[in-house]
Structure formats: structure tokens, C-alpha cells
């Protein structure tokens, strides 16, 4: 008696050699599936980088955080010999240099963007715009070496004595400009950061300004508005989210910037009221000490600094991206 | 007619526009000054020895040969490791997973990695490679640079693939081409220049990076092409030499800075020329 069974796999196998077309189609489908999986894995890899960074930093920070607890964040000590570490001075330096950079670079960057979109003759717009974008790509170590050899001596000789003798005597803010002119220090680092993020702010805000529909500007001009009124009452309100997003993106850069600052901050682990004195930032501390750190606690404290820096910049950059995305959505819809 | 109001408005406009021009001139002046000083100081130290001799010990003269070669190796390897992953990831985001949740998340995270502090990437690679291996190495430096390449190339690949008109994909699909054939023979070809531009920009970005190399590739005063040993690189040598008290070293630092800037600017300009010729 013949058993009547039907095995689909066997049937397919039996069918295949008779139908080369189906076989090659099957191969194509398999390859396609493989390729799709491969690309998906690569996309997931980007997420893996992020988790890897967070995991490594947290894991490296554990010894320091176990030893010092949350007090690590608000302790000023930094003494590798006694193995006492606290993050306050680098955090303070990072924030103050970035604030100085933003105070200087934002108005100038916006000025450049306004100049490029409203005032500059058309034939000059592309060359200047391109030059600014190229400058945004210059590595930070170039700004660092320039700051160390040219800018800091210049400040020390001409600008800082002037600041000390004038603003240094103003009651209320005099303490900001106290002490001898070192050249290097918090103020110099802030100014170099400002010069560094300037092309960045200028080119982003210019791009954002260009998303304003010409009709809006033309109708304002048509009603007799001056250029300034168009900028202030039409362009800026329309692009507010994008401009703030661009500024925060630049802030993210300034906070994490390493080489330009390391050259000229002076690397002193202390908080001085005067912005003319040397200080340190998170990234400068890591760059200077990590290779030489011998004790576990020292290395781990530097890792904790890296973790703090990453968390701060992550928040700032995420906020910046969300703001820029909201502008894009409006421009698209 | 209120003449005073008009006057005030005109004056205010004139004031603010003058300020805009002044700030633009002021800002651009600094940037020009930096480039000018770099040229003056850099060219002063430029001679044949820079390209033929090793980095010198303190107090004597020499060149930057080992640092230049080290930089070339690190950058090349970084690009070779980072680019394939990044192009595949960009392909997923623009082709297979255009509307998937994963794409949205990856795009957001990628944009953040794009401007994340590079020194943190250095710490990361130290943690996953240098510490387990027990020594600083060229390969660790390359991996650190590769991680910086990924976000740049992912971003441009996705953007460029999204610019390829859907009709082209549909036409290929209608001829019976499977998805990966469509991607390989239609999308990639159409977006080729754009993707190459992205890679060039990524090279420009990493060729000046110093922070992630400080505790991965470290530095090496001697000629070394072994990937398992500390490897010198131009940016790290500049960092070390510029902060030294020796004049010879400082001069070499300026020359190195000039070389890096020229390389970066050339790459960016070529990338720009390519993308302006783009047909898509």
C-alpha cells in the first residue's frame, strides 16, 4: 500500500530544479532579506554607540562616586596626592567660559546673519557665506595654538591691564576683574570659544533666516517697515525656535570643546571670582590629566567628569534638535 | 504726518544696520587674523625637513614625518571602519525603514552624536579598547576616529538618498528588480556624489581631531606603523610641541597646524565643488 503523505518542504524541493526562475527569485528574496537585516543592524549600531558611551562612562565613574557620593559634584577639592576629588571647579569653569562665549558670539553671529540675509550685496553673499562655513570646519587645535601664542599675549599686554584699571575699580563688579593680568585664564578661554563658535552660529542662523517666506518680508516692506523692523518684527519672531536651537547647538559645542580651551585656560583646579585668573574646564581637566592619572580614584574621577559633561551636552543638544525640528515641521507644513 | 516718528524709525534702522555691518566686519576680521597668523608662522617653519625627518627630541631640529604618516594611517583606517557601517545605517533610514520608529530614534541620536564632545568618545574607546588590551594603540585611535565618522556619513547618506526621486525607484521596481538591486543600481548611483561629499566632510572633520586621540593612540616620538603600538599623529604632536618651552618644537607646531588647516580646507572645498555639481 502506498502511503499518501504530503510534505510541503519535500514538494518545494522537488519543484525547485524544474523551475530555475523560482529558484533564482528565491535567492534574490533571501539576499534582499539579508541586506535589509544588515542595514537595520547598522542603524541599530548607532544606538549601540550611544549606550556604549553611557555604559562605559557610568562603569568608569563607579569607584569615584562610591567614594565621594553625590557630594562629588559640589566639592571644590582636587588633590591627586591626598586622593580627594571634587568636580565643582571644572563644572564652574565649563559653565563660565561657555557663558562668556555665548554673550560675545550670539550678538555678533546674529549681526553677521542679518548682514548676510538683508544687507549684503547679492554677489558678495555666496563668497562670505562659504568662507564662514569653511571657517566653521577648522579644527579646534588651530584656535588653541593661535590663542596661546598670539591672543593671550595680546590680552595680557593691552586689554587686561586696561580692564583691571577701569572695570576693576567699579564697585559691584570689580572682583570679576581683580588680580594680575596673566593672559591665559577664564576670560581668554571664553573669548577663544566665542571666536570658534561664531562661524557656527552665523551659518546656522543665516540658514534659519532664509526659511522665512519672502512674502512675509515683502508684505512688511510693502507696509513701509524699515529693514530693522522687518528683522525684529517678522524674521526673528518667525524663526525664534530655530535661532534658539542654533544657539543651543553652538552652546553644546562650546561646553564640550577641548583643545582650544586646554591651551589657554591655565589648568588651575580652583574657583576664583576674577575671570582674569586661570581655571579649568571639564574637558581640559580630562585632556591634561587622564594619561598621567595613576590611582584608580583619579582616573575614575576624570571618568565621572566625562559623564557629567556628556549628560550636560546631551540635554543641551537634545533640546536644540527638538527646537530645530519644530521649525522644520512648520517650514515643511 | 508725524515727522518725529519717521525720523526715529529711520535713525533706529540706521543704527541697527550699522551695528549689523560692524559686527560682521568685526567677526570676520578675527577669523581672517587667525588664518593670516597661521600662514605667516606656518610658512616660516616650512622646509623639506618637515616632510623627511622624524619629530626631534627637545632642543634639536627635525621634521614631522612620523606624525604625518601616523595621521594618514589613523585617518584612513578610521574612515575605512566607520564609513561602511554609516552608509548601511543611512541606507536603512532612507530606504527600508523610511517610516519606521527605529529610523526616527536613530536620526535623533545620530544628530546628538554629531556634536557630542569628542573627548568623551576618547574616554569611551579607552574604556572598551585601551583598558582591556592593556596598552595604547593605533587601532584604538582609529576606532575613536571611526566613531566620529559615523554620524557625519549617516547624516549625509540619509539626506542624499532621500533626494533620489521615488519615480526612479518605482521604475526599477516595476521592472521586477528586488529592493536591494533598486538600492544598489539606482539609489546608490543617483546619490553617489552626495555620499562621497559626506565622506570627504567626515575626513575633514577627523583629520584635525586631537581630543579622542590623546588617550587612545597616545603619541610616539619614533617612526611606528604598528597598529598595536602607540602611534603619533599630527594634532597630538602639535598639542605637545606647542605647550613645550622649546622654540624648535613650537615652530614645528605652527607648521603642523598650517598643514592640517590646508588639508581640512582643501577637503571641504573639494566636497563643496562636488556637491554643487550634484545633479540629484
Amino acid at each position: 500500500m502506498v502511503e499518501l503523505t504530503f510534505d510541503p518542504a519535500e514538494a518545494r524541493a522537488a519543484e525547485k530544479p524544474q523551475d530555475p526562475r523560482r529558484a533564482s527569485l528565491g535567492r534574490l528574496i533571501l539576499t534582499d532579506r539579508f541586506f535589509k537585516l544588515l542595514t537595520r543592524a547598522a542603524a541599530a549600531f548607532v544606538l549601540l554607540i550611544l549606550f556604549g558611551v553611557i555604559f562605559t562612562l557610568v562603569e568608569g565613574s563607579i569607584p569615584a562616586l562610591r567614594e565621594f557620593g553625590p557630594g562629588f559634584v559640589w566639592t571644590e577639592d582636587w588633590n591627586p596626592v591626598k586622593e580627594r576629588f571634587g568636580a565643582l571647579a571644572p563644572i564652574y569653569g565649563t559653565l563660565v567660559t561657555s557663558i562668556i562665549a555665548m554673550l560675545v558670539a550670539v550678538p555678533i553671529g546674529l549681526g553677521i546673519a542679518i548682514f548676510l540675509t538683508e544687507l549684503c550685496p547679492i554677489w558678495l553673499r555666496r563668497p562670505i557665506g562659504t568662507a564662514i562655513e569653511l571657517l566653521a570646519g577648522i579644527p579646534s587645535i588651530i584656535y588653541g595654538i593661535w590663542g596661546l601664542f598670539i591672543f593671550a599675549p595680546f590680552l595680557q599686554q593691552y586689554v587686561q591691564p586696561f580692564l583691571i584699571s577701569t572695570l576693576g575699580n567699579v564697585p559691584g563688579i570689580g572682583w570679576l576683574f581683580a588680580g594680575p593680568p596673566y593672559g591665559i585664564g577664564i576670560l581668554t578661554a571664553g573669548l577663544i570659544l566665542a571666536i570658534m563658535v561664531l562661524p557656527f552660529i552665523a551659518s546656522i542662523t543665516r540658514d534659519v533666516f532664509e526659511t522665512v517666506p519672502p512674502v512675509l518680508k515683502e508684505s512688511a516692506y510693502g507696509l513701509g517697515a524699515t529693514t530693522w523692523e522687518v528683522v525684529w518684527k517678522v524674521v526673528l519672531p518667525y524663526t525664534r525656535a530655530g535661532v534658539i536651537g542654533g544657539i543651543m547647538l553652538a552652546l553644546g559645542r562650546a561646553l564640550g570643546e577641548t583643545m582650544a580651551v586646554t591651551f589657554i585656560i591655565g589648568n588651575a583646579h580652583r574657583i576664583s571670582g576674577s575671570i582674569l585668573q586661570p581655571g579649568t574646564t571639564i574637558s581640559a581637566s580630562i585632556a591634561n590629566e587622564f594619561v598621567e592619572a595613576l590611582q584608580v580614584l583619579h582616573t575614575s574621577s576624570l571618568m565621572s567628569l566625562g559623564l557629567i559633561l556628556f549628560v550636560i551636552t546631551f540635554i543641551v543638544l537634545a533640546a536644540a534638535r527638538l527646537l530645530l525640528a519644530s521649525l522644520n515641521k512648520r517650514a515643511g507644513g | 504726518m508725524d515727522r518725529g516718528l519717521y525720523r526715529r524709525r529711520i535713525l533706529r534702522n540706521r543704527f541697527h544696520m550699522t551695528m549689523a555691518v560692524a559686527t560682521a566686519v568685526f567677526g570676520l576680521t578675527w577669523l581672517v587674523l587667525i588664518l593670516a597668523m597661521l600662514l605667516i608662522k606656518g610658512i616660516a617653519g616650512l622646509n623639506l625637513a618637515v616632510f623627511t625627518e622624524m619629530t626631534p627630541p627637545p632642543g634639536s631640529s627635525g621634521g614631522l614625518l612620523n606624525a604625518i604618516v601616523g595621521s594618514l594611517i589613523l585617518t584612513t583606517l578610521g574612515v575605512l571602519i566607520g564609513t561602511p557601517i554609516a552608509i548601511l545605517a543611512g541606507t536603512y533610514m532612507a530606504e527600508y525603514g523610511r517610516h519606521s520608529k527605529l529610523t526616527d530614534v536613530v536620526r535623533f541620536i545620530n544628530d546628538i552624536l554629531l556634536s557630542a564632545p569628542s573627548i568623551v568618545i576618547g574616554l569611551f574607546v579607552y574604556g572598551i579598547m585601551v583598558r582591556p588590551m592593556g596598552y595604547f594603540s593605533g587601532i584604538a585611535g582609529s576606532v575613536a576616529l571611526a566613531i566620529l565618522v559615523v554620524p557625519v556619513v549617516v547624516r549625509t547618506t540619509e539626506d542624499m538618498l532621500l533626494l533620489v526621486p521615488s519615480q526612479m525607484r518605482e521604475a526599477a521596481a516595476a521592472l521586477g528588480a528586488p529592493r536591494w538591486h533598486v538600492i544598489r543600481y539606482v539609489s546608490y548611483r543617483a546619490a553617489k556624489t552626495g555620499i562621497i561629499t559626506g565622506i570627504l566632510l567626515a575626513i575633514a572633520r577627523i583629520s584635525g581631531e586631537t581630543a579622542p586621540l590623546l588617550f587612545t593612540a597616545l603619541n610616539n616620538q619614533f617612526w611606528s606603523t604598528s597598529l598595536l603600538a602607540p602611534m603619533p599623529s599630527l594634532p597630538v604632536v602639535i598639542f605637545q610641541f606647542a605647550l613645550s618651552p622649546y622654540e624648535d618644537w613650537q615652530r614645528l607646531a605652527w607648521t603642523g597646524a598650517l598643514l592640517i588647516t590646508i588639508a581640512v580646507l582643501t577637503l571641504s572645498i573639494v566636497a563643496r565643488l562636488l556637491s554643487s555639481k550634484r545633479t540629484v
Side-chain angles (χ1 to χ4, degrees):
Chain A
M1 204 174 118
V2 185
E3 245 186 286
L4 284 175
T5 51
F6 179 71
D7 180 359
E10 202 176 297
R12 231 180 287 141
E15 218 170 16
K16 255 183 187 166
Q18 292 149 12
D19 190 350
R21 189 165 167 272
R22 174 168 288 198
S24 70
L25 263 183
R27 263 202 311 279
L28 284 177
I29 289 169
L30 267 184
T31 327
D32 196 44
R33 236 176 249 160
F34 170 75
F35 193 61
K36 180 175 178 181
L37 266 180
L38 193 70
T39 58
R40 193 207 276 265
F45 183 78
V46 175
L47 299 184
L48 197 69
I49 295 179
L50 178 81
F51 291 128
V53 170
I54 295 174
F55 179 80
T56 313
L57 290 177
V58 169
E59 200 233 342
S61 311
I62 287 173
L65 294 182
R66 192 172 285 158
E67 175 77 22
F68 305 118
F72 180 74
V73 179
W74 57 81
T75 311
E76 200 190 326
D77 283 350
W78 190 273
N79 191 332
V81 182
K82 289 187 188 158
E83 298 205 42
R84 298 291 314 161
F85 298 103
L88 193 61
I91 293 178
Y92 169 84
T94 303
L95 295 181
V96 173
T97 48
S98 298
I99 290 170
I100 295 175
M102 288 298 126
L103 286 179
V104 176
V106 168
I108 299 181
L110 286 177
I112 295 180
I114 294 172
F115 172 75
L116 278 178
T117 49
E118 304 294 333
L119 299 172
C120 185
I122 305 279
W123 59 272
L124 247 179
R125 276 183 199 186
R126 255 186 80 89
I128 295 187
T130 310
I132 287 176
E133 279 166 31
L134 288 179
L135 286 167
I138 289 189
S140 59
I141 191 161
I142 309 296
Y143 292 92
I145 189 172
W146 182 80
L148 179 68
F149 288 116
I150 313 286
F151 193 53
F154 169 76
L155 283 182
Q156 183 177 23
Q157 213 163 356
Y158 302 105
V159 180
Q160 290 185 349
F162 172 75
L163 287 177
I164 293 168
S165 62
T166 53
L167 289 176
N169 298 324
V170 178
I173 59 162
W175 52 273
L176 275 174
F177 302 96
Y182 284 106
I184 55 175
I186 300 264
L187 177 68
T188 317
L191 292 178
I192 287 284
L193 279 181
I195 297 177
M196 253 197 80
V197 294
L198 182 60
F200 200 70
I201 295 181
S203 67
I204 292 188
T205 39
R206 185 207 52 184
D207 290 348
V208 169
F209 282 174
E210 277 172 358
T211 63
V212 180
V215 182
L216 280 186
K217 290 201 278 184
E218 281 158 14
S219 24
Y221 279 123
L223 289 172
T226 61
T227 313
W228 171 247
E229 284 161 350
V230 170
V231 169
W232 190 245
K233 294 181 175 160
V234 177
V235 174
L236 278 176
Y238 186 87
T239 54
R240 198 184 299 131
V243 170
I244 297 174
I247 291 172
M248 292 184 76
L249 215 53
L251 177 63
R253 292 249 158 145
L255 287 168
E257 178 42 49
T258 309
M259 298 325 291
V261 173
T262 307
F263 273 101
I264 46 177
I265 188 93
N267 303 307
H269 271 282
R270 59 161 188 269
I271 299 175
S272 11
S274 166
I275 55 172
L276 301 183
Q277 302 304 305
T280 189
T281 68
I282 294 179
S283 50
S285 301
I286 302 174
N288 269 311
E289 296 175 32
F290 196 78
V291 174
E292 274 123 47
L294 297 174
Q295 311 104 323
V296 178
L297 266 184
H298 195 177
T299 311
S300 172
S301 300
L302 290 169
M303 280 276 192
S304 316
L305 282 182
L307 180 62
I308 293 170
L309 176 67
F310 192 68
V311 170
I312 297 175
T313 47
F314 189 93
I315 294 170
V316 171
L317 292 172
R321 288 297 172 186
L322 290 175
L323 282 169
L324 285 170
S326 78
L327 182 86
N328 280 344
K329 207 171 280 170
R330 194 169 53 176
Chain B
M1 282 238 293
D2 187 350
R3 289 200 166 274
L5 180 64
Y6 279 126
R7 259 191 104 73
R8 271 202 305 280
R9 285 177 56 201
I10 289 170
L11 281 178
R12 186 175 297 156
N13 181 52
R14 217 170 269 164
F15 169 75
H16 283 112
M17 290 307 117
T18 320
M19 288 303 286
V21 175
T23 50
V25 171
F26 178 77
L28 292 172
T29 309
W30 286 110
L31 298 167
V32 171
L33 269 181
I34 291 181
L35 286 185
M37 274 325 286
L38 186 63
L39 269 179
I40 296 170
K41 292 270 190 178
I43 287 178
L46 204 59
N47 52 38
L48 197 62
V50 170
F51 301 100
T52 53
E53 286 176 30
M54 305 295 148
T55 45
S60 59
S61 64
L64 294 166
L65 178 62
N66 50 344
I68 294 173
V69 173
S71 265
L72 287 178
I73 296 175
L74 289 171
T75 309
T76 314
L77 262 183
V79 172
L80 286 181
I81 300 171
T83 309
I85 300 171
I87 290 185
L88 286 174
T91 308
Y92 178 79
M93 294 161 74
E95 301 278 350
Y96 288 111
R98 192 178 282 202
H99 305 291
S100 78
K101 262 240 153 60
L102 178 66
T103 299
D104 290 337
V105 178
V106 170
R107 189 181 299 125
F108 184 70
I109 296 301
N110 189 67
D111 278 350
I112 288 178
L113 288 177
L114 200 60
S115 15
S118 55
I119 191 152
V120 170
I121 304 299
L123 287 178
F124 168 52
V125 175
Y126 175 87
I128 59 164
M129 292 190 73
V130 178
R131 202 164 45 187
M133 287 164 77
Y135 48 87
F136 298 100
S137 63
I139 189 71
S142 305
V143 169
L145 293 182
I147 292 176
L148 293 171
V149 166
V150 168
V152 183
V153 179
V154 167
R155 180 69 189 270
T156 40
T157 305
E158 194 207 355
D159 287 352
M160 293 305 139
L161 286 176
L162 286 177
L163 283 179
V164 177
S166 302
Q167 286 92 325
M168 285 169 70
R169 292 195 188 89
E170 285 158 12
L175 290 172
R179 198 71 186 270
W180 70 283
H181 270 195
V182 177
I183 294 171
R184 211 173 121 194
Y185 296 111
V186 178
S187 305
Y188 278 170
R189 285 198 183 170
K192 194 168 80 189
T193 7
I195 296 175
I196 292 176
T197 307
I199 298 174
L200 287 178
L201 289 177
I203 300 175
R205 158 103 202 259
I206 61 169
S207 49
E209 277 291 351
T210 322
L213 295 177
L214 285 175
F215 18 88
T216 51
L218 201 67
N219 194 358
N220 195 332
Q221 210 193 311
F222 307 102
W223 173 263
S224 167
T225 52
S226 163
L227 286 176
L228 297 177
M231 186 173 271
S233 64
L234 216 36
V236 177
V237 167
I238 294 173
F239 179 51
Q240 189 198 345
F241 280 17
L243 285 172
S244 77
Y246 314 108
E247 254 180 49
D248 287 308
W249 277 20
Q250 293 179 0
R251 201 173 310 126
L252 278 175
W254 275 109
T255 309
L258 177 68
L259 292 180
I260 288 189
T261 311
I262 291 174
V264 170
L265 285 182
T266 314
L267 281 166
S268 327
I269 290 171
V270 171
R272 222 154 244 289
L273 289 178
L274 270 181
S275 65
S276 68
K277 259 192 256 164
R278 193 171 62 228
T279 46
V280 185

